[in-house]
Amino acid sequence: MKLTLSVIKADVGSIGGHICPSKALVDTVKSYIRDHGRGLIIDHHIATIGDDVHILMTHTHGDLNSKVHELAWNAFFAGTETAKGQGLYGAGQDLLKNAFSGNVRGLGPACAEITCTERPNESFVLFAADKTEPGAYNLPLYLSFADPMHCAGFMLSPPMFKGFTFRIMDCDHVDGDRTIDLHAPEDLYGIATLLRDNSRYVVEGIYSRYNGEKAAAVSTSRLRLIAGKYTGKDDPVCLVRVQGNFPSVGEVTEPYAIAHYVAGTMRGSHNSVMMPVKTGSTMTYFDGPTQVCAQAFSVHDGRLTEAIDMFDHPVWDVVRNRASEKFIELRRQGFSGPAMLGIHELEYGGVVEKLKELDERFKVTKEDEGTRKSKAQKVKAEAGEDAD
Ligand code: 13P
Ligand code: 13P
Ligand code: MG
Ligand code: MG
């Protein structure tokens, strides 16, 4: 059967700051989907990471279906009402438009979708991250879908020998979607050249070169470009199909053991470390480190199994300890240099006002003409003496 996996994520309010949504908020979203999804979606699963709620839905209506997207939008709207009723922080934070139109793209919530022919043993992993940007998935996806150092399938699984096509989006482009298709392995250096810039170039989708099937999808929302100011980070979701012609489930989680440096955390303005955590984790230290959860599912006729929490295993405790040390070490230098993001990333926030204010207090001091001339003559004379 033709199956669509849709995951739509939003932050519509959280307790005590950007920590986590309340139980009442999550229950509201859950009961909205349960009550209004009948006849439209086949199955669903709702979970949280930090202050974000993600709704996974299975259905047969294809990508960007307006009814499916409206269901999620309305569920988040209902959650917002609960958030307001409880005085939660940032109620409705990611619902940037007043009314729903067409699909959630450009309205605030993050969305990743895959439409495929369901395999007899269809399985996939849903990643959801808090306090970061969509480009945070660039490195792990590159390592899983292009690097035999992390994915043994390139040597051991014949359908993978042809490699994968990366569709990469230029997130700075606002007038339509600007994308490029690059093919691993022959375009590896081009892929790396773009993916090194997590804030601008983001893997939007990955496709098998063996049969053209879509293997992965990442949300590419741009909240600051929608709102025109900083309203929160584009906390991203990602779907990855696994096994068979795709990397195995362990090959898509293994790169997270690096706990790589990404953008995010406090006020979305700092560099951070991507820590793999249990689904539903909260966030209590400098709005960081950035955290990512992973839930594995099997699906048959659109019905989901229970979720397996991929980072709920002792091996990830070692990674978490290392990620904590890396992040605390980076935090020791506060605002200095690479601890914070560059000005290009901060230009939608309050620092612009601060810099404007300071700009007016700068003084330019120049030497008078006479002093400059006599200095130049002295330099010339000294050069002449040396030359003799
Ligand atoms: P099993 O032998 O446990 O089925 O595992 C096969 C495999 O390829 C694991 O990556
Ligand atoms: P969120 O994007 O998770 O809402 O966090 C925003 C923020 O400013 C944290 O300090
Ligand atoms: Mg928030
Ligand atoms: Mg968040």
Side-chain angles (χ1 to χ4, degrees), residues 11-14 17-19 51-52 89-90 93-94 130-131 231-233 235:
D11 172 351
V12 291
S14 51
H18 297 275
I19 303 172
D51 57 4
D52 298 304
Y89 187 76
Q93 178 185 286
D94 287 352
D130 186 36
K131 307 291 184 282
T231 57
K233 216 68 181 158
D235 297 328

Side-chain angles (χ1 to χ4, degrees), residues 94-266:
D94 287 352
L95 306 186
L96 298 179
K97 305 282 170 180
N98 291 328
F100 177 80
S101 64
N103 59 64
V104 298
R105 291 193 67 197
L107 305 184
C111 166
E113 295 183 301
I114 295 180
T115 295
C116 57
T117 302
E118 189 190 81
R119 297 171 291 171
N121 46 13
E122 188 64 58
S123 40
F124 66 97
V125 181
L126 158 59
F127 293 92
D130 186 36
K131 307 291 184 282
T132 191
E133 60 189 5
Y137 294 119
N138 282 356
L139 180 64
L141 287 174
Y142 172 86
L143 297 176
S144 297
F145 283 91
D147 186 350
M149 289 288 284
H150 293 265
C151 180
F154 293 115
M155 297 172 287
L156 306 176
S157 171
M160 291 176 61
F161 292 173
K162 284 197 168 129
F164 290 88
T165 294
F166 286 67
R167 182 160 298 162
I168 298 170
M169 185 182 278
D170 175 357
C171 286
D172 275 3
H173 190 83
V174 280
D175 184 19
D177 290 344
R178 186 166 183 258
T179 59
I180 184 172
D181 283 356
L182 293 176
H183 312 290
E186 65 267 32
D187 289 331
L188 272 192
Y189 298 163
I191 294 170
T193 303
L194 296 180
L195 296 191
R196 56 157 287 284
D197 186 351
N198 287 348
S199 70
R200 177 164 182 185
Y201 298 107
V202 172
V203 176
E204 183 208 40
I206 299 177
Y207 299 82
S208 163
R209 297 178 75 187
Y210 171 70
N211 59 8
E213 285 264 308
K214 190 166 185 177
V218 181
S219 60
T220 53
S221 52
R222 290 155 282 187
L223 294 177
R224 63 182 186 187
L225 298 182
I226 302 169
K229 62 176 192 310
Y230 175 74
T231 57
K233 216 68 181 158
D234 298 293
D235 297 328
V237 281
C238 169
L239 291 169
V240 183
R241 293 169 77 198
V242 292
Q243 306 293 137
N245 303 330
F246 306 123
S248 78
V249 68
E251 287 165 338
V252 306
T253 53
E254 191 259 6
Y256 291 88
I258 295 171
H260 61 303
Y261 291 105
V262 295
T265 73
M266 185 55 69

